Amino acid sequence: MKTKKLTEVLERIEAWPPEAQNALADFALDLDAGFKAGDYEPTPEELAGIDRGLRDAAEGRFATPQQVEAAFAKFMTVCATSVRFDDHTMWVDLTDGRTLGAPLAWFPRLLCATPAEREQVELSRVGLHWETLDEDISIASLLSGHAGTNRAARRSTELDALADEALAEHRAGGSSAV
């Protein structure tokens, strides 16, 4: 028996590139083997890696943004090629030919930004970045369709209030930024 959520995910995965499908299948098989084997016993190499990571963290050594991007790049085969906006939507063109649309309401900082600020986007292998807006959006979250719901849970009430204020001002005819 499959849950509704698993069924929905499996339908989405059918559109993934073959390499990504195989990577997920390998992960699922490893997970399945773990369920059948009982408690997981890490290898000596895995334990050494955990110890190294804990030591590095205790000493304040963390991965650079470039190292994080390189790690994600191994698993992300789809990247953004361009971004454009209309009055209510952000449109992201991808390397595989798809175009994703996401409501600006999902991203209060973009919703409140001027068109010139929105155009200052930096594209990377893992997502979109607006330095002046302090906004980052991953391609993975856009592909999952949960970019707005995940972000909404993390947004502060201050940003929510700002977006509500800007939207109210726009509806009253006082601003063209929204």
Side-chain angles (χ1 to χ4, degrees), residues 88 105 111 163-178:
H88 306 286
L111 179 68
D164 290 342
E165 186 180 309
L167 193 55
E169 185 179 336
H170 173 70
R171 286 183 178 148
S175 171
S176 61
V178 178

Side-chain angles (χ1 to χ4, degrees), residues 62-133:
F62 299 97
T64 66
Q66 293 81 10
Q67 290 168 323
V68 171
E69 185 171 328
F72 276 103
K74 288 181 185 178
F75 303 102
M76 288 295 297
T77 57
V78 178
C79 305
T81 58
S82 66
V83 180
R84 64 188 183 285
F85 298 89
D86 62 27
D87 290 340
H88 306 286
T89 308
M90 173 176 64
W91 298 98
V92 181
D93 295 320
L94 302 176
T95 53
D96 66 0
R98 290 181 288 175
T99 299
L100 302 176
L104 287 175
W106 283 4
F107 311 102
R109 291 177 182 166
L110 291 175
L111 179 68
C112 296
T114 66
E117 289 172 324
R118 290 179 190 156
E119 289 176 17
Q120 295 178 8
V121 61
E122 298 172 25
L123 307 179
S124 74
R125 290 182 149 244
V126 295
L128 315 171
H129 174 70
W130 289 263
E131 183 70 30
T132 58
L133 299 174

